[in-house]
Amino acid sequence: MAGYGLTQTNLHISKNSPLSTEDTMHQNLISDNDLDIHTLIAKNRFGTFFGVPQTLFDEVWQNLTASDGNSVVYISMEIGADPDVFHPIKDRLMDLERTDSMDSKLKQFTKKLFNGPEKIPCYGGGLGVLAGDTLKSFADCRIPVVAVSLLYRHGYFSQIVDSKLGQISQSVDWHPEETPGLYLLHDPKNPKAPLQVHIPFFNEHDQETIASAHVWMKMEVNHSLDFFVPELLLDFSLKDNPAPIQDAAGKLYNSDSSFIKATQRRMLGTGVLPVLQALDITSNTLHLNEQHGVVVALQLIAEELQATLKHSDFSHASDKQILAAAEKVSHKLVYTIHTPVKAGHDRFDKSVYAGMSHKSCRHILELLAQDKDTPHSYNFTTFAMRVNRTTNSVSRLHRDVTHKQFPEAVDKITAITNGVHHLTWISEARAEAFDAFPQLKNWRDDPGVFQKVKKLRNNNRFRTYLSRAWAKDSNTLYKYINTMLLRHRNQMTSTWIDPPNYYSNLIDPDNQLDPSAFTIGFARRFSTYKRADLIFDNIDTLCDILIKNKWPVNFLFSGKAHPADEPGKSVIKLILDYQEELHTKSQGLANLIFIPNYDMQIAKMMVAGVHIWLNNPKRPLEASGTSGMKAALNGVPNFSIMDGWWAEGYHDGATGWKFGHEGPVDVADLSESPESLLYTEDSASFYKTLPTVLQDFYADSSHSRFIDKAVMNLCLNIPIFNTHRMAAEYLQKYELKLPSSLQKKMDKFAALYNSNQ
Ligand SMILES: *Cc1c(COP(=O)(O)O)cnc(C)c1O
């Protein structure tokens, strides 16, 4: 049986003492120490939730349901916010446990709470992680936002890697019922049953079928535990739903057919209004994080036409009436476009999509979603570009590219450069180092504080603390890798999987990889334009550099390719195939390691533990990139192509190194065809710069220059590439009315940077 909220499943408290009765709570859990766990329980008609006090819960809910609609709905196909990398409630409870002020009952309670799974695998990569980071910053800044996304019972996919076969994708086995912090909302009219929202789907004969969804809620509670942003996750995997709906509900970015793909988009877009209505949420502003959920606009336009025509059948609306309705709806929508790459923009054959929505909507799509290249398709990016009051790209360079791609919308498109959530991505060891300096006091609440690092630049104690924290993080990372390499070798005897790493054959307890060897990190989705194999284009040249100078280098790679992306998967295979050759030709100086099943936890370990972060997409196809920002926040320099955020974060070399083709961008540069990927040119540029980087790291005389770059990353890049600043720039587009003290604080964050310069 499914658990509804906290009472039955999530806390696993004994059946006789349901947490929802306050008396039992008192008897069982209240101790006389300083954290009164009872104050972290809140209830409303949809359930009982753990993590925030009732008063706060009510405050958030009132904001979202107030008649003035002064709040924002953030719509995203994926949200990456795994509790194993950021979990302020857990941290608070652990602190208590450490100080031993927790009584044994409370200990039992927390043990049960935190022994559950800590991954919510409903994200595929950068887009989802950005969504999670954004929501966390909204929570930190106390901005009234609610998110809507989908819950995928088979996640994205789990990656196994075999050195002979390459990537093998497996369906993820996870159970929302057992995941602490996820609550299935109740039906207020029948508290024993889950809340259901109903969404009409149509077939090509315009026959209606109703698909239903359960609603799960996760609360993105901030680090001071004094605000949260609810995420509403629609779960369409219900056994009474029509088979195609269930098929489309299971896996994120299932692309088995364009029908399934379109169905998934429709679940998100068409799910928004019913779920808001069921919860009485009134937000006047809808933010589309990518175009995936744009059909919400179709519904809003339909509602507008019904109101104008005073009739439910709007199929005879004139072009003029439709455009007027669209114009009105546009005022509600804010749109973030995330990529210039074709695969990121949904296009559906009319016969596929038109069948799904009601026939009266086809006229709207004809007017607003025409694809200029393929007249028989609807283009959701075209549609999203038409129905919004403001669009943002995710870096300055991406803005310029987007202007070229959508000349008709130039006036609306500005840049808001992405950021990352500093509280999630700054490692614990780095955080401890920062805490030791009173000058940086308050860095958790205000990433702008890091501007003061300028004054610490030559402070030896600061440099030492930073270097020590770095070494600690490298050790953690290498411990993980060495254990993994050994485990893979041992697994070989019990499974059919060939260890993904050549080094698994070499490793033994006395021959482990050394954390002090220069370590280059590369991790992200595998997609051909990201060119993961670029720096191995000429292994002889690469090895010559290392051998000549006796420089040991470890290359740590990680990332998944979409299971249907054959070229992407073949790049993973290439990386595996290069391992032995690189090791041999470099006389053992170089090792190339692939870490399977990339996720936020691995990302967090890598960005803090490596010595340099590498990104080498084909310019200008990386609209922003965010993993490099995560490294920068830990003081790890980047060594990258001048694309996306790095063109802004490079600061004339103060924070890292650049290589590769630059110059003005042109529409012709957007080609992703193999012959236009500039392998020879950009890899040569990499080999040319690499010795400088290694020299700075390895030579005693210049190592301080390397540390300078680390320090300058803290000083110049943290204040810019964080999601507090980004959220503040979004706010300027939302037109919310905020209390003046909060508005002031957000203005201060916004003043840290002007993305649209
Ligand atoms: C940050 C992150 C990404 C995005 O990396 P990019 O450099 O933007 O491509 C993808 N996956 C995970 C798990 C991440 O943490």
Side-chain angles (χ1 to χ4, degrees), residues 457 637 646 649-657 705-713 716-717:
R457 193 177 166 182
W646 186 233
Y650 172 69
H651 304 284
D652 291 323
T655 52
W657 290 266
R705 281 214 294 271
F706 199 86
I707 301 297
D708 279 342
K709 287 204 165 48
V711 173
M712 291 317 278
N713 267 291
L716 296 175
N717 281 338

Side-chain angles (χ1 to χ4, degrees), residues 123-126 129 425 523-525 530 598-600 603 613 615 622 624-628 630:
Y123 63 94
V129 176
W425 296 107
R524 48 186 51 83
R525 264 183 329 108
K530 295 195 184 237
Y598 187 49
D599 70 359
M600 293 179 72
W613 195 254
N615 192 15
E622 184 82 287
S624 164
T626 53
S627 58
K630 299 168 193 168

Side-chain angles (χ1 to χ4, degrees), residues 164-198:
K164 295 218 178 68
L165 303 171
Q167 168 176 297
I168 300 160
S169 52
Q170 279 201 325
S171 158
V172 186
D173 196 19
W174 82 291
H175 305 281
E177 293 82 1
E178 287 163 18
T179 306
L182 273 183
Y183 302 98
L184 183 59
L185 300 187
H186 303 219
D187 181 353
K189 293 192 210 78
N190 177 12
K192 290 211 159 52
L195 177 70
Q196 295 211 10
V197 293
H198 306 288

Side-chain angles (χ1 to χ4, degrees), residues 224-420:
S224 359
L225 309 191
D226 69 357
F227 201 79
F228 73 94
V229 165
E231 296 166 12
L232 305 170
L233 309 176
L234 300 174
D235 175 7
F236 282 90
S237 300
L238 309 185
K239 65 178 190 321
D240 292 337
N241 272 342
I245 299 290
Q246 293 189 49
D247 283 349
K251 277 188 290 191
L252 171 60
Y253 300 132
N254 181 335
S255 60
D256 288 352
S257 71
S258 75
F259 176 79
I260 284 188
K261 196 171 151 183
T263 303
Q264 206 171 61
R265 304 304 186 267
R266 187 172 162 85
M267 284 174 177
L268 177 67
T270 321
V272 174
L273 298 183
V275 73
L276 298 182
Q277 194 177 23
L279 302 181
D280 297 325
I281 292 170
T282 50
S283 317
N284 275 336
T285 304
L286 307 181
H287 185 158
L288 293 175
N289 185 42
E290 250 317 335
Q291 39 76 47
H292 301 120
V294 69
V295 284
V296 68
L298 193 58
Q299 270 189 319
L300 288 167
I301 294 168
E303 282 180 6
E304 203 56 61
L305 287 171
Q306 286 167 332
T308 316
L309 302 171
K310 302 193 175 60
H311 204 286
S312 62
D313 179 6
F314 52 91
S315 49
H316 302 298
S318 66
D319 289 7
K320 202 172 145 205
Q321 283 167 326
I322 290 174
L323 292 174
E327 177 60 26
K328 260 183 140 169
V329 166
S330 297
H331 287 294
K332 283 186 162 230
L333 291 163
V334 172
Y335 167 43
T336 300
I337 182 165
H338 280 270
T339 180
V341 171
K342 268 214 173 85
H345 301 285
D346 294 329
R347 233 182 267 231
F348 297 107
D349 199 276
K350 288 179 180 176
S351 63
V352 172
Y353 198 81
M356 234 168 272
S357 61
H358 190 261
K359 69 171 187 298
S360 21
C361 287
R362 276 168 225 164
H363 190 183
I364 305 176
L365 289 166
E366 287 296 324
L367 277 177
L368 301 171
Q370 276 293 355
D371 188 83
K372 38 180 197 300
D373 304 328
T374 45
H376 54 83
S377 297
Y378 292 132
N379 184 324
F380 278 15
T381 299
T382 309
F383 189 21
M385 207 45 101
R386 284 293 296 272
V387 285
N388 70 77
R389 65 162 196 265
T390 171
T391 300
N392 76 281
S393 58
V394 288
S395 71
R396 289 176 183 165
L397 189 63
H398 178 225
R399 171 200 56 203
D400 299 345
V401 172
T402 313
H403 281 174
K404 293 210 157 92
Q405 285 184 300
F406 302 93
E408 69 286 359
V410 163
D411 293 343
K412 289 204 292 199
I413 305 166
T414 58
I416 297 182
T417 302
N418 279 344
V420 294

